[in-house]
Amino acid sequence: MSVATKTEKIQRLAELTATKETSTGASLWREAFRRLRRSKMAIIGAVIIAVFVVLAIVGPYLTPYAPTAQTWRGEVFPNRGEFVGPRAENWFGLDNLGRDMFSRMLVGARQTLLVGVVSTLIGLTVGFLIGGLSGAAATLGGDAGRRVDTVIMRFIDMMLALPSLLLAVSVAAVMGQSLTTVMIAVGVVQVPVFARLLRGSMLAQGGADYVLAAKSLGVRKRRIVVSQIVPNSLSPVIVQATLSLATAIIEAAALSYLGLGNPDPAIPEWGVMLAQAQRFFDNAPMMAVYPAVGIIITALGFTLLGEAMREALDPKLRG
């Protein structure tokens, strides 16, 4: 995807909050929530996310066996291609070291959620600071502010020009192999998206009547930005954060699959489990299928909810 295409999609999402009130006088978020409750896509996405979050929180306490215990090591022989599939005591079968796959999937859900949430928070925080500074400079900073905005946005465009996975791999390769590295690498990839999105939303709000009224009353520019423009520019950022969680989970799994994730293979994480299973795919494909399906369904849940929120906020789709 080209930089122009990425920028156009981000700008379109930013414009969704340019109108604060609808023709009926209902607030933007109140109407959006009403539409979300009627959206099958939003309901399905919310249910998937709820199940995933519950499993991540309580799953480790429900595991029938320790996820690192090689209790059935004597029953699997990877060198001979002999594995144990699903059975009464091991619902998902055993991995190549004789560990219970069901227990590892439950514990791995927490690690996967942790990576997705932390990396998204990193991208959101840094992108919020950069985008807020750029948006404030462009909106109320005069000629000097517009020059600052131009410099910042050219740097952001350079980051957007790089394929996200390539940028994440580059950051992870420089920092070294660890779970923290994966979180930071995926977070860095999301910084330019959040920065440009917030900046675009602030520009859309900059010409609103309430901003002009505040300026005419002599309200300080800093106060206008902090108390008026920024709060009214957060809607598309919240939508993007939901969508970014899906992207973060997939990219974190990709980094783990490439060997840049947690160096301790004993700690269950769906991306690491997928990487470990590739050597035995011919004889035990379900070792790869379980974590892959978990990643796909979780990412699908966040994507469905995010897309439903995007549609609910789109003024062109409001009845």
Side-chain angles (χ1 to χ4, degrees):
M1 185 182 295
S2 65
V3 180
T5 304
K6 289 182 179 179
T7 303
E8 183 178 341
K9 291 181 66 177
I10 294 172
Q11 186 64 31
R12 173 61 186 146
L13 181 57
E15 291 172 354
L16 297 184
T17 55
T19 303
K20 292 184 61 183
E21 302 292 329
T22 67
S23 58
T24 60
S27 68
L28 175 68
W29 278 103
R30 184 177 300 174
E31 183 183 354
F33 181 70
R34 186 162 56 243
R35 295 185 62 190
L36 282 175
R37 289 188 301 177
R38 298 195 299 263
S39 171
K40 293 182 180 179
M41 184 167 62
I43 294 173
I44 294 173
V47 170
I48 293 174
I49 294 172
V51 172
F52 174 59
V53 172
V54 170
L55 287 178
I57 295 174
V58 305
Y61 304 103
L62 302 177
T63 55
Y65 310 102
T68 58
Q70 301 179 20
T71 308
W72 298 273
R73 184 66 181 88
E75 298 184 29
V76 294
F77 302 93
N79 294 334
R80 301 204 301 258
E82 296 180 9
F83 293 87
V84 176
R87 58 185 184 181
E89 60 267 40
N90 308 111
W91 292 357
F92 287 179
L94 306 176
D95 69 358
N96 59 300
L97 296 178
R99 298 173 295 193
D100 182 59
M101 283 291 295
F102 180 72
S103 300
R104 292 180 64 78
M105 284 293 296
L106 289 178
V107 176
R110 173 177 292 186
Q111 293 293 319
T112 302
L113 177 63
L114 177 65
V115 171
V117 171
V118 173
S119 59
T120 300
L121 286 176
I122 291 174
L124 176 61
T125 302
V126 179
F128 182 89
L129 294 176
I130 296 175
L133 174 61
S134 182
T139 304
L140 300 175
D143 293 338
R146 283 189 286 273
R147 286 193 290 269
V148 171
D149 171 61
T150 299
V151 172
I152 295 176
M153 284 300 103
R154 296 298 77 76
F155 175 73
I156 293 299
D157 288 342
M158 290 172 58
M159 295 183 67
L160 283 173
L162 294 173
S164 58
L165 185 57
L166 177 60
L167 179 58
V169 169
S170 301
V171 174
V174 171
M175 296 187 61
Q177 185 183 17
S178 71
L179 187 62
T180 302
T181 294
V182 171
M183 296 177 183
I184 295 176
V186 176
V188 168
V189 169
Q190 300 186 27
V191 167
V193 176
F194 285 116
R196 181 166 277 283
L197 185 57
L198 179 60
R199 180 253 189 189
S201 185
M202 291 178 67
L203 290 180
Q205 293 289 336
D209 292 340
Y210 68 90
V211 175
L212 298 177
K215 291 170 64 176
S216 65
L217 292 173
V219 180
R220 296 177 61 184
K221 293 181 179 179
R222 182 181 302 177
R223 184 175 179 182
I224 295 175
V225 171
V226 174
S227 63
Q228 299 292 330
I229 296 179
V230 171
N232 288 303
S233 302
L234 293 180
S235 297
V237 178
I238 295 173
V239 174
Q240 183 59 41
T242 305
L243 293 170
S244 294
L245 277 167
T247 305
I249 290 173
I250 294 174
E251 291 179 344
L255 292 179
S256 297
Y257 183 81
L258 295 174
L260 297 172
N262 194 335
D264 185 1
I267 298 178
E269 194 271 322
W270 289 352
V272 175
M273 292 171 64
L274 187 60
Q276 294 172 348
Q278 65 176 331
R279 295 179 297 159
F280 313 104
F281 188 80
D282 291 339
N283 297 305
M286 298 308 294
M287 283 180 56
V289 170
Y290 293 136
V293 170
I295 293 170
I296 292 171
I297 293 178
T298 303
L300 176 64
F302 285 111
T303 301
L304 289 176
L305 182 59
E307 290 294 339
M309 292 174 64
R310 191 203 302 270
E311 292 182 2
L313 289 168
D314 194 334
K316 292 184 177 180
L317 299 176
R318 296 176 201 154

